[in-house]
Amino acid sequence: MPYTNFPNRVGAAPARGVPGDKASLNPVVHADGAYLAGDAAIMAGRFVWPDPAGAAHPAGPARRALSSGSGAPLGLVERGLRFADPGLECAGSLYVPQGATLSIVRRGDMYVAPSTPASAGQKVFAALSDGSVRTGDAGDNLPGAVETDWTVTEGGPADTLITITNWSA
């Protein structure tokens, strides 16, 4: 059986990052306390909301974070290298498994991959249904999304890596 996910090309330079990576050496502020992926696996580089019930996760005393919500999100899920995939036959993933500890960034410079084209200076919006990133002008009314305090610092086409910050917010 061939390994379909084994690398089949090599770039001339390393990738600059992936969604959920820090985009600079500036400090990053994380959410207080422990949060676990509550409702399902949660993708790095997307926004999360605290469980509105304030319930502890069944796996332990930490609070739950959900990939959907209403109002301002808690923060952006940072990519961590805690979940190794030892099998070459398995695809890599940016998903943090349900019940695993999340590293939630409240303030910093981060890489994300928005579903919309992005230009420097635009505001970042969080989709209420899945925490995915969208961009638009300040004050825009994007259906199903809420404006965050994050701003695009380096734009690009939809579904490509961009940088966002909220240090100047």
Side-chain angles (χ1 to χ4, degrees), residues 17-21 37 40-46 77-83 85 91-98 101-103 111-113 159 161:
V18 297
D21 275 351
I42 294 178
M43 183 178 263
R46 290 190 177 185
V77 176
E78 183 177 18
R79 182 179 76 100
L81 299 175
R82 297 182 294 269
F83 310 107
D85 180 5
S93 175
L94 292 176
Y95 283 95
V96 178
Q98 181 179 6
T101 304
L102 294 170
S103 181
Y111 286 118
V112 296
D159 301 316
L161 205 60

Side-chain angles (χ1 to χ4, degrees), residues 5-166:
N5 296 310
F6 194 75
N8 57 12
R9 64 185 169 91
V10 177
R16 65 182 193 160
V18 297
D21 275 351
K22 296 176 199 171
S24 73
L25 295 177
N26 287 334
V28 172
V29 177
H30 292 92
D32 293 338
Y35 284 88
L36 302 180
D39 54 349
I42 294 178
M43 183 178 263
R46 290 190 177 185
F47 290 98
V48 292
W49 288 261
D51 185 336
H57 193 280
R63 294 169 285 180
R64 295 176 0 139
L66 308 176
S67 59
S68 61
S70 62
L74 177 63
L76 188 78
V77 176
E78 183 177 18
R79 182 179 76 100
L81 299 175
R82 297 182 294 269
F83 310 107
D85 180 5
L88 289 176
E89 69 281 359
C90 300
S93 175
L94 292 176
Y95 283 95
V96 178
Q98 181 179 6
T101 304
L102 294 170
S103 181
I104 302 171
V105 175
R106 306 258 337 216
R107 189 164 299 281
D109 301 325
M110 302 296 292
Y111 286 118
V112 296
S115 60
T116 56
S119 299
Q122 284 187 311
K123 292 299 286 184
V124 174
F125 292 76
L128 299 171
S129 61
D130 63 3
S132 60
V133 176
R134 299 180 190 169
T135 59
D137 294 326
D140 277 356
N141 184 12
L142 298 182
V146 63
E147 186 173 332
T148 69
D149 64 347
W150 295 79
T151 304
V152 176
T153 53
E154 184 180 339
D159 301 316
T160 63
L161 205 60
I162 68 165
T163 58
I164 63 173
T165 189
N166 62 356

